[in-house]
């Protein structure tokens, strides 16, 4: 058989993506938005031996399958034009016709994490979580500098318009978090999943708070501490390599958790929020910024590509499950906001950065790792655009014993320029805390 028959079996006649194979066969439109190029028998074996997203990932990461043209356009076009009733297991019926070229063993790429059952006992034990974080984040800070840009912020930005630059959108996201937390001078902020320290530095420099950030990544912590020193913020901001379960500090005025909860797991959510509530003073706020699934009926486990190559042991709960865990473990929910479209735009910009700096990114992390990130960002962008993945900011408060929240009657976090036009608040001190 001709290999192009595989393509036409799974995608309809209107698919805007082309296909060519090493046997000389081809399919698709005359002017495709992108073209899949099946280059080697090894790439075919990956597709046959692991039908679905894992086989596709292996074939692409190893170079047996190439995407010529825009990766996002290719994935979006393919997903739109899958034939009704198509199943990855249909590949198996082609094996007799393909013969020995489909039957040989294709080595698993070394960039792939072993399956979950081989990672040791305790899905979210401290040791296993540390290994999962290292797999994703400790690929070299230079690689992330190229992809994330000057902000070094690895979470959804907030765009005021489609034309807003990535740096401005990340600055707005960080400042929005500070405004939602109502940060005041000399308060203490805990930043869970602090990454490279962008939020910690912004809050210390612009709001006068003292910040402790924690991350499981040693490379992130080292980069953040150097950046903090270079910014002259030593003593005001700190990022430690530390598991949130080992925190012993108390009396924080506010907590931000940005892109961290996805690594904790459903079984840990209740304990996590109970621990965070205990670390807060009464009337303290927590902002939880996390990726979610659209439905509580969906499994919280990620698919095999994300689990093996990107975020090992990552889990995505529904918004209802996350808010329920906050509500049942010490927080009163005060505000929720979806930023789904904003994450698609953020991924668009990260993908553009990767393409713009492709040669440097390959030099920093290796071609296969760069290909993983190219595929992952395009897949994720399509997921957010189509509503298959969501992201939410959830604001909770720890009530004082008399039920006081310290919250305004209505949300009060306009941009600083708008707030500067209003009369200043009067403050009174009670002990060491500043209250409005």
């Amino acid at each position: 058989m001709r290999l192009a028959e595989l393509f036409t079996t799974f995608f309809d006649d209107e698919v805007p993506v082309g296909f060519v194979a090493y046997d000389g066969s081809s399919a698709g439109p005359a002017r495709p938005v992108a073209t899949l190029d099946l280059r080697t028998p090894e790439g075919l074996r990956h597709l046959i031996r692991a039908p679905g997203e894992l086989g596709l990932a292996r074939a692409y990461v190893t170079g047996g399958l190439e995407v010529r043209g825009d990766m996002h356009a290719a994935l979006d076009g393919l997903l739109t034009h899958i034939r009704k009733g198509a199943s990855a297991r249909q590949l198996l019926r082609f094996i007799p016709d393909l013969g020995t070229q489909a039957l040989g063993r294709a080595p698993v790429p070394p960039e792939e994490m072993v399956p979950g059952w081989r990672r040791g006992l305790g899905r979210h034990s401290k040791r296993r979580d540390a290994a999962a974080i290292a797999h994703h984040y400790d690929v070299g800070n230079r690689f992330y500098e190229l992809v994330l840009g000057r902000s070094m912020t690895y979470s959804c930005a907030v765009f005021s318009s489609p034309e807003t630059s990535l740096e401005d959108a990340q600055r707005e996201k960080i400042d929005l978090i500070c405004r939602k937390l109502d940060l005041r001078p000399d308060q203490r902020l805990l930043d869970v999943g602090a990454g490279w320290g962008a939020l910690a530095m912004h809050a210390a420099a612009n709001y006068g708070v003292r910040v402790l950030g924690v991350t499981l990544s040693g490379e992130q912590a080292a980069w953040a501490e150097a950046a903090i020193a270079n910014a002259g913020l030593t003593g005001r901001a700190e990022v430690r390599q530390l598991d949130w379960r080992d925190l012993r500090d108390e009396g924080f005025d506010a907590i931000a958790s940005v892109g961290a909860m996805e690594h904790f797991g459903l079984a840990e959510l209740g304990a996590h929020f109970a621990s965070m509530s205990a670390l807060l003073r009464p009337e303290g706020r927590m902002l939880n910024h996390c990726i979610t699934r659209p439905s509580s009926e969906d499994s919280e486990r990620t698919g095999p590509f994300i689990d093996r190559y990107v975020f090992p042991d990552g889990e995505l709960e529904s918004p209802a499950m996350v808010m329920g865990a906050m509500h049942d473990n010490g927080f009163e929910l005060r505000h929720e906001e979806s930023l789904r479209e904003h994450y698609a735009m953020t991924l668009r910009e990260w993908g553009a950065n990767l393409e713009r700096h492709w040669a440097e990114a390959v030099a920093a992390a290796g071609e296969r790792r760069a290909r993983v990130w190219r595929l992952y960002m395009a897949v994720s962008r399509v997921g957010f655009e189509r509503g298959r993945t969501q992201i939410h900011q959830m604001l909770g408060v720890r009530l004082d014993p008399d039920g006081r929240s310290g919250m305004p009657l209505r949300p009060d976090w306009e941009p600083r320029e708008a707030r500067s036009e209003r009369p200043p608040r009067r403050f009174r001190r009670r002990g060491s805390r500043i209250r409005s």
Side-chain angles (χ1 to χ4, degrees):
M1 67 169 290
R2 307 292 279 170
L3 292 175
E5 292 179 42
L6 291 172
F7 185 79
T8 56
T9 296
F10 291 98
F11 302 101
D12 65 35
D13 296 338
E14 303 302 317
V15 64
V17 179
F19 177 85
V20 297
Y22 59 84
D23 68 350
S25 62
S26 63
R31 295 183 177 181
V33 297
T35 299
L36 302 185
D37 184 352
L38 183 57
R39 293 182 165 184
T40 67
E42 181 181 81
L44 174 64
R45 287 194 289 272
H46 280 306
L47 296 174
I48 295 294
R49 293 180 68 90
E53 64 180 77
L54 186 59
L56 285 167
R58 288 172 175 173
Y60 178 72
V61 169
T62 58
L65 176 69
E66 186 58 271
V67 177
R68 291 194 270 113
D70 184 84
M71 175 71 78
H72 169 263
L75 293 175
D76 190 58
L78 293 172
L79 286 172
T80 302
H81 294 276
I82 295 175
R83 288 192 185 277
K84 187 175 180 179
S87 167
R89 294 198 173 276
Q90 287 179 274
L91 283 170
L92 300 178
R93 69 181 177 88
F94 288 98
I95 289 178
D97 293 330
L98 292 170
T100 58
Q101 61 180 330
L103 297 177
R105 180 177 176 80
V108 174
E111 292 77 14
E112 181 176 316
M113 178 73 89
V114 297
W117 61 270
R118 292 180 54 194
R119 296 173 198 166
L121 297 176
R123 179 174 172 82
H124 285 287
S125 65
K126 293 178 183 179
R127 178 178 295 181
R128 184 160 159 175
D129 278 355
I133 292 297
H135 177 87
H136 184 82
Y137 292 100
D138 293 349
V139 298
N141 289 325
R142 179 55 183 160
F143 178 79
Y144 282 104
E145 290 172 351
L146 295 167
V147 174
L148 304 182
R150 292 191 303 276
S151 73
M152 284 298 280
T153 305
Y154 195 18
S155 52
C156 175
V158 174
F159 292 79
S160 58
S161 75
E163 293 75 33
T164 300
S165 71
L166 177 61
E167 300 306 318
D168 287 345
Q170 290 291 16
R171 189 179 304 111
E172 169 57 20
K173 183 272 300 295
I174 291 171
D175 202 66
L176 176 63
I177 292 170
C178 294
R179 299 193 308 264
K180 285 184 174 181
L181 292 173
D182 195 29
L183 297 181
R184 307 296 178 89
D186 294 323
Q187 288 184 330
R188 297 181 68 218
L189 169 65
L190 173 62
D191 182 7
V192 180
W196 291 271
L199 172 58
M201 288 188 286
H202 181 89
N206 293 280
Y207 288 83
V209 298
R210 291 172 290 129
V211 190
L212 171 61
V214 296
T215 173
L216 286 178
S217 169
E219 291 197 22
Q220 284 185 333
W223 194 100
E225 282 295 284
I228 287 168
N230 290 336
L233 294 171
T234 301
R236 302 294 301 178
E238 175 189 4
V239 174
R240 299 178 193 166
Q241 184 181 7
L242 186 70
D243 193 299
W244 64 267
R245 289 164 286 197
D246 294 326
L247 279 163
R248 297 294 178 262
D249 302 56
E250 293 181 354
F252 288 101
D253 297 280
I255 298 175
S257 177
V258 183
M261 191 209 74
E262 297 89 329
H263 299 291
F264 299 159
L266 178 61
E268 292 283 346
L269 279 195
H272 171 68
F273 288 120
S275 175
M276 294 300 103
S277 177
L279 296 176
L280 272 176
R281 65 162 176 83
E283 299 183 27
R285 302 181 190 182
M286 179 176 181
L287 188 287
N288 188 60
H289 173 117
C290 61
I291 301 173
T292 63
R293 290 197 179 280
S295 170
S296 298
E297 300 298 317
D298 298 329
S299 170
E300 71 275 7
R301 302 289 177 91
T302 58
F305 166 57
I306 296 296
D307 181 64
R308 302 279 190 95
Y309 284 90
V310 186
F311 291 114
D313 292 337
E315 296 182 23
L316 302 180
E317 287 75 40
S318 72
M321 297 169 76
V322 180
M323 287 189 282
M326 291 183 72
H327 174 83
D328 292 343
N329 291 280
F331 289 97
E332 180 177 77
L333 269 293
R334 303 296 301 219
H335 188 265
E336 184 280 329
E337 178 178 10
S338 172
L339 299 171
R340 179 174 61 81
E341 293 87 352
H342 295 262
Y343 216 158
M345 297 166 69
T346 304
L347 287 157
R348 177 195 67 195
E349 297 303 310
W350 289 343
N353 281 345
L354 178 60
E355 298 305 325
R356 190 179 302 115
H357 301 293
W358 180 256
E360 293 175 86
V362 168
E367 182 173 2
R368 288 188 174 189
R369 184 64 67 185
R371 289 170 76 88
V372 167
W373 254 249
R374 176 190 270 165
L375 180 60
Y376 142 62
M377 289 190 292
V379 166
S380 299
R381 179 181 168 187
V382 171
F384 283 105
E385 288 173 341
R386 291 170 172 262
R388 297 182 178 184
T389 320
Q390 302 175 350
I391 185 160
H392 293 262
Q393 284 190 352
M394 304 166 187
L395 183 67
V397 62
R398 178 187 174 186
L399 302 180
D400 79 0
D402 296 321
R404 286 188 291 266
S405 68
M407 295 287 296
L409 293 178
R410 297 293 298 157
D412 189 29
W413 41 76
E414 309 100 302
R416 178 174 296 174
E417 303 77 51
R419 295 207 284 180
S420 66
E421 299 173 0
R422 303 179 313 181
R425 293 180 177 181
R426 298 180 181 273
F427 299 103
R428 60 186 175 88
R429 288 187 177 271
R430 180 180 298 173
S432 62
R433 299 192 295 271
I434 300 176
R435 297 171 180 255
S436 58

